[in-house]
Amino acid sequence: VDFVGYRFFHDRTLLRTAMTRRMRRRLSPAKARRTPGRYWRAVGAAPSYNGWTQFGNTHSLNRQVVAPWMREIKEMQDA
């Protein structure tokens, strides 16, 4: 069942494919660092995507795509 950005199965919950593709595209390191505007847009989007990935079976997606940005944001806050 596809509902509110997730696909529900009897044993797991996944993000929709379009959402996953958009997340990977917006948070790709090479694309985000081309211009300052894209960089700051990615910094702003990362916490939102972190929230989306918390509530599904998306541990590897979070670790590969979102977690590096969250570490970078935390380092910026600590500095």
Side-chain angles (χ1 to χ4, degrees):
V1 177
D2 185 358
F3 182 70
V4 191
Y6 292 100
R7 290 180 298 152
F8 295 99
F9 300 95
H10 69 283
D11 59 340
R12 66 193 184 279
T13 303
L14 302 174
L15 279 176
R16 288 178 46 222
T17 304
M19 179 78 131
T20 303
R21 287 181 183 160
R22 187 178 313 120
M23 181 186 318
R24 285 185 183 274
R25 188 175 60 241
R26 287 187 181 165
L27 297 182
S28 76
K31 187 171 185 176
R33 286 179 170 78
R34 284 185 194 159
T35 63
R38 285 186 178 167
Y39 174 78
W40 289 109
R41 185 173 296 156
V43 167
S48 176
Y49 288 134
N50 188 39
W52 278 96
T53 57
Q54 285 179 352
F55 296 104
N57 299 96
T58 55
H59 177 72
S60 62
L61 177 67
N62 191 356
R63 188 182 65 233
Q64 293 171 0
V65 179
V66 181
W69 284 97
M70 295 305 293
R71 281 193 298 272
E72 190 168 328
I73 291 169
K74 181 150 178 62
E75 289 171 4
M76 288 180 357
Q77 288 175 346
D78 292 343

